[in-house]
Amino acid sequence: MGFKIGAGSAIFMNCKFDCTKGLTIGDNCVINAKCRLDSRGEIYIGNNVSLSEEVICLTSDHNEDIKGIYDRSKKIIIEDYVWVGTRAMILAGVKLEKGAMIAAGAVVTRNVDCCNVVAGVPAKQINSRPQDFNYPTNYKRLFQ
């Protein structure tokens, strides 16, 4: 599919991809089952990142200010050691800085700073986490 996938990374079953380009995944990442990755506007995922089941990353939307349908795309950047909870949605143009944590069900419409924990719709900071990362995110399930 033309994706770049690092060593030790895994994509579990039933994930959906909107196109055959624009996806880069670093080392030791886990993309859990049933995620949807829309890489029309490109998605960059760093190292040791975990996307929980049914996470959606949308890089394209429609400009409501123009008559007709006008598609616009913006890159999503997910830096190292980011964890995204089940059924969270990351929207076009968002950057999740190193160590950010996204709660289950959150809708992320804006950038998340380093080590911030966000939750809600739209996502807002609720906490922060320590910055001393030293673990790989390379677990495997029985069926991938």
Side-chain angles (χ1 to χ4, degrees), residues 108-126:
V108 184
T109 61
R110 297 179 184 205
N111 295 346
V112 179
D113 292 336
C114 178
C115 297
N116 282 353
V117 179
V118 299
V121 180
K124 295 183 179 164
Q125 183 179 356
I126 60 168

Side-chain angles (χ1 to χ4, degrees), residues 47-138:
N47 300 315
N48 298 298
V49 171
S50 177
L51 300 186
S52 298
E53 196 160 319
E54 297 184 16
V55 166
I56 298 173
C57 294
L58 294 177
T59 64
S60 293
D61 62 10
H62 299 284
N63 187 342
E64 68 280 358
D65 295 329
I66 297 176
K67 291 182 182 180
I69 296 177
Y70 174 74
D71 183 42
R72 60 184 174 192
S73 298
K74 296 178 186 172
K75 186 174 188 174
I76 290 175
I77 298 172
I78 302 174
E79 293 185 350
D80 299 347
Y81 295 102
V82 169
W83 178 83
V84 182
T86 300
R87 293 190 178 167
M89 183 179 295
I90 314 301
L91 297 183
V94 166
K95 180 178 184 180
L96 305 178
E97 292 185 8
K98 183 177 180 178
M101 185 174 281
I102 313 304
V107 177
V108 184
T109 61
R110 297 179 184 205
N111 295 346
V112 179
D113 292 336
C114 178
C115 297
N116 282 353
V117 179
V118 299
V121 180
K124 295 183 179 164
Q125 183 179 356
I126 60 168
N127 205 347
S128 60
R129 61 189 289 219
Q131 294 187 24
D132 55 340
F133 304 108
N134 188 17
Y135 58 86
T137 309
N138 60 351

Side-chain angles (χ1 to χ4, degrees), residues 5-9 25-29 45-49 137-138:
I5 302 173
S9 290
I25 300 173
D27 296 338
N28 301 313
C29 294
I45 298 173
N47 300 315
N48 298 298
V49 171
T137 309
N138 60 351

